[in-house]
Amino acid sequence: MRFRLLKKNFIVFLVVLVVFIMLFYSIRRTRDEANVDVTEKDSTQTAVMGKFEFGTIQNMRKSIYDSNYRQIIQNGDKFPLEPEAVVVVQVHNRPAYLKMLIQSLEKVDGVQNTLLIFSHDYFSEEISNMVKGITFCRVLQIYFPYSIQLYPNEFPGQDPRDCPRDISKEDAIKKGCLNAEHPDSYGHYREASITQTKHHWWWKLHFVFERVQVLRGYNGYIVFIEEDNYLLPDFHKYLKSMIEVKKTSCGDCDVLALGNHNGLSGFHELSSKTETAGWLSTKHNIGMGISRELYYKLMGCNTAFCTYDDYNWDWTLQNLSGTCVSKPLKVLVARGSRVLHTGDCGLHQKEDCRPEKSQERVDAALKEAQSALFPPILTVTDHGPVEHQPHMKNGGWGDVRDHTLCINYAARL
């Protein structure tokens, strides 16, 4: 009798245990399925968030904020190693020249070890798709959030209440236009399209050194170029060689200039030669290699840069050299340029753009220079004077609104 009772209790226990196990696995399966649904939902939301919306100004503003915050690295899985070089491209709205630049980048030996950063102040699907088509290295796109495209009828765009460019200050005050009290050094009032390039350049410098997450801990040079530049196939190797020359032969050099404005004239003779000089905007503003050390020097001149009445970033930089930056900037220059300028139109020349002719000229020059690429060693052949070079400011930057916005980039990235 007692045995039968124990047997009955044991069977009941087994039934309860089986039910409990089935219930446990049922609950776990439901929870796992729910987690999968949540993950899939999050992935879908992430994909939607990652898409740049071009439809309206408001959509573009939101997309720019999201993209600059999230900083998605294109081709990151394909090229997982830390970059050996970083190249930053300032992009406006010349897709034909940008296409030429991208084609040149693809031919650079060692480009797979480079991080390319495209900094945009004009937003279009054509340009976006062009950059998204890059598969040969890691790519990051950043977006200038104070573009005149985003503010077409208000500052920093052209507010209809702004003073006309050529009105006299007396008439401007009578008219009561917004910036009547602040013409430039030549009595002219601001033109938004003219001021944007300097704004973008200074914002980009801040953002790349301070906010690009993948560059935290990166202490190498960052090379700054523009959409109408063209890189030679040995650009990456030449940059590495130049850095070594800087270490051994020009320890006090502040800047690298991998390009010049002489094209490929005399390239066979000059390919392996470098020189040192004082930095000049007319000679050394193409393919600039900037270190974090120099960046911090320039940040000490934030107010001086942002209030100097010249709409050109490079002439402004030349003014800082030897004034706010007490020691004039010294540059190590490639005599055989590794960065070419292809643009035959731009800020001042709006018409008669012929990128196909530029491509023909580049192709012909490269064919001629091919055998002089990849020199085994570089030498320093000349040492020019390093001194402050004063110049007549160009104006176009007298409005205090431009000064204030520019100064605040350091805090409002």
Side-chain angles (χ1 to χ4, degrees), residues 76-360:
D77 292 339
K78 187 176 179 181
F79 304 102
L81 299 179
E82 294 298 311
E84 293 180 2
V86 179
V87 176
V88 180
V89 187
Q90 183 159 324
V91 184
H92 181 52
N93 186 25
R94 290 179 286 177
Y97 293 100
L98 178 61
K99 182 179 179 181
M100 289 170 58
L101 170 63
I102 292 173
Q103 289 172 344
S104 77
L105 286 162
E106 187 170 14
K107 297 173 185 175
V108 171
D109 185 68
V111 71
Q112 70 276 8
N113 301 315
T114 300
L115 171 65
L116 281 180
I117 301 177
F118 292 85
S119 184
H120 302 273
D121 62 32
Y122 184 84
F123 319 109
S124 75
E125 292 191 66
E126 179 184 12
I127 292 173
S128 178
N129 291 335
M130 205 175 286
V131 176
K132 286 179 181 177
I134 294 174
T135 59
F136 49 80
C137 68
R138 291 204 289 178
V139 174
L140 172 64
Q141 298 194 70
I142 60 177
Y143 303 89
F144 178 50
Y146 303 103
S147 163
I148 60 176
Q149 185 184 5
L150 303 175
Y151 298 89
N153 299 307
E154 59 181 309
F155 180 85
Q158 199 74 43
D159 194 307
R161 298 168 296 168
D162 285 348
C163 301
R165 177 186 183 273
D166 295 322
I167 193 173
S168 70
K169 184 174 182 180
E170 181 182 358
D171 289 343
I173 292 172
K174 288 178 183 177
K175 185 176 181 178
C177 44
L178 286 182
N179 50 337
E181 295 289 347
H182 304 290
D184 69 8
S185 301
Y186 304 100
H188 300 303
Y189 289 94
R190 81 182 295 268
E191 298 173 272
S193 60
I194 297 296
T195 63
Q196 177 166 268
T197 301
K198 180 174 176 176
H199 274 295
H200 184 181
W201 195 87
W202 197 239
W203 174 87
K204 173 192 66 182
L205 194 68
H206 279 297
F207 196 90
V208 167
F209 278 102
E210 299 285 2
R211 293 291 186 268
V212 172
Q213 298 161 12
V214 72
L215 292 182
R216 288 176 182 169
Y218 177 81
N219 291 313
Y221 279 84
I222 298 178
V223 180
F224 291 85
I225 62 174
E226 298 183 12
E227 65 189 342
D228 62 345
N229 291 159
Y230 190 101
L231 272 58
L232 269 59
D234 65 347
F235 170 86
H236 183 264
K237 183 179 183 300
Y238 195 93
L239 172 61
K240 293 170 71 174
S241 298
M242 228 179 163
I243 292 171
E244 289 305 311
V245 171
K246 193 266 182 193
K247 291 178 182 177
T248 58
S249 304
C250 192
D252 59 342
C253 282
D254 301 289
V255 191
L256 304 180
L258 283 95
N260 59 55
H261 293 280
N262 300 325
L264 295 180
S265 176
F267 189 77
H268 280 265
E269 179 187 349
L270 301 174
S271 176
S272 64
K273 297 178 180 179
T274 66
E275 64 183 5
T276 65
W279 193 88
L280 294 176
S281 69
T282 53
K283 292 184 176 182
H284 310 130
N285 63 351
I286 179 170
M288 284 178 61
I290 296 179
S291 66
R292 193 171 291 274
E293 180 183 2
L294 175 58
Y295 166 72
Y296 289 137
K297 284 184 183 179
L298 296 179
M299 289 311 99
C301 296
N302 190 31
T303 299
F305 182 95
C306 290
T307 57
Y308 184 66
D309 187 13
D310 196 314
Y311 67 91
N312 299 286
W313 66 265
D314 45 359
W315 282 110
T316 303
L317 195 61
Q318 181 173 320
N319 176 68
L320 297 183
S321 175
T323 57
C324 181
V325 179
S326 58
K327 182 184 175 185
L329 296 176
K330 186 175 182 179
V331 58
L332 179 64
V333 188
R335 296 189 66 189
S337 182
R338 262 55 187 187
V339 183
L340 305 180
H341 180 244
T342 59
D344 50 12
C345 61
L347 184 61
H348 302 290
Q349 177 70 28
K350 305 291 185 183
E351 300 177 356
D352 197 30
C353 298
R354 305 185 68 183
E356 69 282 355
K357 292 297 183 183
S358 295
Q359 184 68 67
E360 290 175 8

